[in-house]
Amino acid sequence: MARAVRRRQFLLQTAGLAGTTAAFGLTGCSSREDVQLDLLVASYDKSVGASLGGQWDSIVPAFEKQHPGIRINLERVPYNKIDKTLAQRVEEGRAPDIAQSNVFAPYAEDDRLYDLTQLLDIATQADFIRAFTDAGTVDNATYGTPFRASTPRLFYNKELFRRARVSGAPTSWDELREAAQALKAIGVKTPYGLQFGPEAADDEALSWLLAAGGGYTGELAEYDFATSDNIGALSWLRDELVADGLAGAAPAELNRTAAYAQFLQGEIGMLLAHPVLLGAADRAKLPYAHAPFPKKDGGAAAPLGISDWLMAFRRNGHRKECGAFLSFLYSGKSALTRSGGRSMLPVTYSASDAATGNPAEQPLSPFIEQLSNAHFAPVNMRSWPAVRGAIRTDVGQAVMKGGDPESVLASFDESAVKADMEAATG
């Protein structure tokens, strides 16, 4: 892991002295007796057999034992309601001390959050995987602390591939189409599970755009949807995959949760999936394998990165206590829990090194190796939630029969302009 060491050294050199403010006072923060930290986190269903969120039951008591002057008031909210619940609490003046969410940029821009230099010492800041802290940065300060990292790979059913006489994972889009055609020929219902339903269409679409050399933003980190690479990618999906029934009957309606379930039932031959699928596939005794998602013309594509975020709010003035909790969360053995037991990936170099060196965590290694090169949607832009909503609603129409990728992508550019204007004036 020499590359990880070099990154840690680089970050230590570039983190600057700003983090020294946080380093003072993180020890001995129990001098303020009976401080209560309100912690708002997400709870998850177990639709694909994942155990997510259970680590709080061990982390909170362990933290309180080490910090007798701090008590954690833990509140769980269903994952699909966490963003809305947090926004409502903030609007009502009841922001928690620490919250988990997909959204942090609006709170950062409104100066409601502590940045990481105010919470963590330099060594802890430097230990975060750079791609993830970059994604959590607004105006050159990091406010979104990465939590529940993930990056997908191409999963495929080895038995179906054997029966279809496909020798292995496709390494280009042409090979992916050929594998899908072979799967269809033996009666596979959905050769490739194109997840363009509203649950996570933005993630699936971005993976394809990245693999074609495109993406959601341009060189200046501004929205740029209707590019030739993006148009070409969606046109290929429409003409080469969806038109021939190689992506099932209704890819614009296929959500991630349903796609995973269908893969486990042997109805989907291959799909992009996150490590949360590993444990479920093992329990189902499914003969599966996974590989990097292919570039359009061959090779491994730039991997998609996703993360939930933890953020610490200023409202109650509990900077030291919030810093103590986050320092505990991302240090030592506690950091290993970020791997989520084959569900999610660690977000620090040290935890990544420990996981790849642990035989029990070896199945995660190919996913962990992708993390440093992960590419993110523009989650650090205030307008992103509105733009994401437009993508989830409409991108599926671009690849259906008669779909117009250029018009759909142009509509995303229009949505982005509108969302940016509303963000600037709101």
Side-chain angles (χ1 to χ4, degrees), residues 105-370:
Y107 309 123
E109 291 186 6
D110 291 343
D111 198 29
R112 297 181 184 274
L113 303 178
Y114 295 114
D115 69 62
L116 258 61
T117 65
Q118 297 171 301
L119 298 166
L120 303 173
D121 60 36
I122 293 177
T124 304
Q125 294 174 56
D127 196 28
F128 286 108
I129 295 172
R130 178 80 182 267
F132 284 79
T133 51
D134 284 351
T137 297
V138 177
D139 293 333
N140 299 314
T142 302
Y143 297 94
T145 309
F147 183 73
R148 299 204 174 288
S150 192
T151 182
R153 288 168 64 83
L154 183 69
F155 280 66
Y156 59 98
N157 185 315
K158 292 197 298 183
E159 174 59 19
L160 294 180
F161 268 47
R162 184 193 67 79
R163 288 168 48 197
R165 298 186 178 181
V166 178
S167 59
T171 60
S172 69
W173 288 12
D174 284 345
E175 289 185 7
L176 189 148
R177 184 186 65 245
E178 291 168 2
Q181 289 171 334
L183 291 166
K184 183 181 179 182
I186 64 168
V188 175
K189 182 178 178 181
T190 304
Y192 177 83
L194 184 65
Q195 301 153 59
F196 270 10
E199 180 183 345
D202 52 309
D203 291 342
E204 176 87 16
L206 182 53
S207 293
W208 284 93
L209 300 187
L210 289 171
Y216 289 160
T217 57
E219 293 182 0
L220 299 178
E222 297 178 345
Y223 294 112
D224 194 8
F225 287 97
T227 65
S228 58
D229 287 335
N230 290 348
I231 294 168
L234 295 185
S235 298
W236 188 94
L237 284 172
R238 180 195 61 193
D239 300 336
E240 304 295 337
L241 209 65
V242 176
D244 293 334
L246 302 179
E253 300 174 11
L254 182 61
N255 285 323
R256 176 184 291 165
T257 301
Y260 287 10
Q262 291 173 30
F263 181 75
L264 294 175
Q265 294 163 4
E267 297 176 359
I268 288 179
M270 53 183 163
L271 80 171
L272 259 177
H274 292 271
V276 68
L277 191 56
L278 291 171
D282 289 340
R283 285 187 292 275
K285 301 187 184 306
L286 187 79
Y288 72 94
H290 52 79
F293 192 68
K295 283 183 182 179
K296 183 176 183 179
D297 296 324
L304 170 72
I306 65 170
S307 180
D308 289 355
W309 309 93
L310 293 178
M311 62 206 80
F313 284 84
R314 296 174 174 272
R315 186 180 72 89
N316 295 319
H318 293 156
R319 179 184 67 84
K320 291 181 181 179
E321 292 79 8
C322 289
F325 183 76
L326 292 174
S327 294
F328 176 83
L329 192 65
Y330 289 101
S331 63
K333 292 183 179 179
S334 178
L336 294 177
T337 64
R338 300 294 78 69
S339 68
R342 289 207 196 176
S343 296
M344 292 292 177
L345 306 177
V347 296
T348 62
Y349 292 115
S350 59
S352 297
D353 292 350
T356 54
N358 181 353
E361 299 290 345
Q362 281 305 302
L364 290 176
S365 293
F367 297 89
I368 292 172
E369 290 169 2
Q370 294 186 169

Side-chain angles (χ1 to χ4, degrees), residues 223 225 383 386-391 394 408-422:
Y223 294 112
F225 287 97
S383 55
V387 176
R388 179 186 63 188
I391 297 170
D394 296 335
V408 171
L409 289 165
S411 75
F412 295 158
D413 281 320
E414 293 172 4
S415 296
V417 170
K418 181 180 178 181
D420 280 338
M421 290 178 63
E422 290 177 350

Side-chain angles (χ1 to χ4, degrees), residues 389-413:
I391 297 170
R392 288 181 172 181
T393 301
D394 296 335
V395 72
Q397 301 307 311
V399 301
M400 300 306 292
K401 182 178 180 180
D404 186 343
E406 184 171 3
S407 294
V408 171
L409 289 165
S411 75
F412 295 158
D413 281 320

